[in-house]
Amino acid sequence: MGCALAANSRNTRSPSVVTARMLLVQKPRRFSCKRPPALPSHPPSHPGAPSPRACRRHPIDSPSSRAVTPRTMEPAGAGGGIAAARSSPAAVQATNDDAAASKLSCVNKGYMKDDYVHHFVRRTTKRAPIINRGYYARWSVLRKLMLQFLGAGNGGSDQKRKQILSLGAGFDTTFFQLQGEGLAPYLYVELDFQEVTSKKASIVNHYNEMKEKLGPEATISVEKGEVTSTHYKLFSADIREIPKLDRVIRMAGMDPSLPTFIIAECVLIYLDPTSTDAIVSWASEKFSTAIFFLYEQIHPDDAFGEQMIRNLESRGCPLLGINATPTLGHKEKLFLDHGWKRAVAWDMLKIYNDFIDSAERRRIERLELFDEFEEWHMMQEHYCVAYGINDAEGIFDDFGFKE
């Protein structure tokens, strides 16, 4: 029955579902309405803002952390969607906002635990069950693979030092959650545009429950968009510029000899294929024992995929790289052609059914009434997780998806 629904969904055009689906693709960002009364009121002219009576100015809105209008990125080579669309970094960066609200919706419904995401969400929004379930699946697969990585090669009380590098991290709160659970790696480094990192640094600086996770030696520069502590670093970087990427990695104190988990959730798919190839190749050359995790869109050529691309292009966020890696096989080939020793790619429907723990599926499926099965199959088939593996130390034999 699942196969039949999946087959039918490939020929079904459902713009409303595709629009809802866009909420699943992005990275966490933005506001909370719990404001200290001493702060000045939020400008009422701010688009979508709560009234000044309901919400005080958040540190993200301070003049020093406002985003400037970035230059427009030109598509290159085989990238782009149906049309040769122009990509706005501001629009791509703004895609974090929807997912922050989606993640908070999941947290509020009991799908997952996150003690910090509410600081990045202006107003609580109740998402549809299909959005909640989809975001949970994305969060769950990343967390399960990350915990596998953190446990790899450990023996008894011997905890091997490891590091995590998040490219285009946005307002993700994973480090703070892991630190609170006693699971954080030796070093966690996040990179994004300075417009994003300045806002994130401002929020971290504003909330003591986040600052205390950094340790007493932490320094925070909102102007530079930097946070530095012993085990956590936040820096600004345009990851398309490989020499600068290499420099900021050294500045963050990353050790190329340590096992490294690299995260790129809906990041490389927005870049032109030449830039993506360069980043994937650089990471393979830099880290000899590593996992490179991708969460991205696939299947641009069917009715659902075409509508998905049009919706994103209308928001100034064309998927410049999707035509270069349109299928699971192409995602694997991206890694194998650029120095990674092994690669695996599964779509999110298979991941939900075969990788996410069955007890967890039963738990979350009881949280809300759910009857959107055809749309669910269609949506999950258009997203995937792919990862490349370099295993010079031989610690990843048991890592990842199992048939």
Side-chain angles (χ1 to χ4, degrees), residues 280-392:
V280 174
S281 180
W282 166 83
S284 177
E285 294 170 2
K286 176 67 66 175
F287 302 105
S288 60
T289 302
I291 307 292
F292 198 137
F293 172 98
L294 294 182
Y295 172 84
E296 292 186 341
Q297 298 90 336
I298 51 174
H299 300 314
D301 297 324
D302 61 15
F304 185 96
E306 289 174 359
Q307 186 64 46
M308 175 176 70
I309 290 172
R310 276 194 291 267
N311 284 354
L312 286 166
E313 287 179 348
S314 72
R315 298 173 63 178
C317 308
L319 303 178
L320 300 180
I322 194 166
N323 289 333
T325 56
T327 67
L328 298 175
H330 287 94
K331 301 292 186 189
E332 294 176 350
K333 191 172 186 293
L334 170 66
F335 288 112
L336 298 175
D337 285 353
H338 294 92
W340 293 84
K341 305 309 179 187
R342 303 185 341 245
V344 179
W346 283 15
D347 69 41
M348 287 301 298
L349 185 62
K350 182 174 178 60
I351 288 169
Y352 184 80
N353 290 331
D354 297 342
F355 184 67
I356 293 176
D357 295 336
S358 58
E360 268 293 285
R361 289 202 312 273
R362 289 193 296 271
R363 180 187 69 82
I364 66 103
E365 287 171 358
R366 291 194 294 266
L367 294 175
E368 297 183 274
L369 180 66
F370 190 92
D371 59 4
E372 303 167 290
F373 295 104
E374 183 175 358
E375 291 89 343
W376 170 252
H377 283 81
M378 179 165 50
M379 289 165 61
Q380 296 303 94
E381 288 178 329
H382 283 78
Y383 275 80
C384 76
V385 164
Y387 55 82
I389 300 176
N390 281 341
D391 194 13

Side-chain angles (χ1 to χ4, degrees), residues 128-298:
I130 193 170
I131 303 301
N132 287 336
R133 187 177 291 191
Y135 196 94
Y136 165 80
R138 166 186 171 172
W139 171 87
S140 183
V141 62
L142 173 57
R143 180 174 171 87
K144 186 172 180 178
L145 290 175
M146 187 182 295
L147 293 180
Q148 284 186 6
F149 163 80
L150 291 172
N154 294 341
S157 60
D158 178 24
Q159 301 296 305
K160 181 180 286 290
R161 282 188 172 185
K162 300 187 180 73
Q163 55 195 7
I164 293 176
L165 171 62
S166 183
L167 304 177
F171 287 3
D172 184 50
T173 57
T174 298
F175 166 77
F176 298 94
Q177 197 64 39
L178 290 175
Q179 186 76 349
E181 297 171 16
L183 299 173
Y186 172 72
L187 181 62
Y188 198 113
V189 177
E190 295 185 323
L191 306 179
D192 213 315
F193 287 111
Q194 186 172 346
E195 292 85 355
V196 177
T197 61
S198 289
K199 295 174 183 178
K200 187 169 191 175
S202 182
I203 291 179
V204 171
N205 190 51
H206 188 74
Y207 290 102
N208 286 334
E209 63 264 42
M210 301 189 79
K211 285 177 68 175
E212 68 184 14
K213 295 294 185 292
L214 302 175
E217 80 292 345
T219 61
I220 299 175
S221 171
V222 174
E223 183 179 2
K224 294 180 180 179
E226 295 181 1
V227 177
T228 59
S229 68
T230 301
H231 301 294
Y232 174 80
K233 305 287 196 305
L234 172 69
F235 287 112
S236 62
D238 184 338
I239 64 173
R240 295 169 298 177
E241 300 178 14
I242 298 299
K244 291 183 179 179
L245 177 60
D246 210 41
R247 187 161 59 250
V248 78
I249 290 304
R250 291 196 301 271
M251 185 169 63
M254 296 197 77
D255 182 348
S257 70
L258 291 182
T260 305
F261 191 86
I262 304 165
I263 306 169
E265 292 185 87
C266 288
V267 173
L268 302 189
I269 199 74
Y270 288 111
L271 307 183
D272 65 89
T274 301
S275 295
T276 293
D277 291 351
I279 292 166
V280 174
S281 180
W282 166 83
S284 177
E285 294 170 2
K286 176 67 66 175
F287 302 105
S288 60
T289 302
I291 307 292
F292 198 137
F293 172 98
L294 294 182
Y295 172 84
E296 292 186 341
Q297 298 90 336
I298 51 174

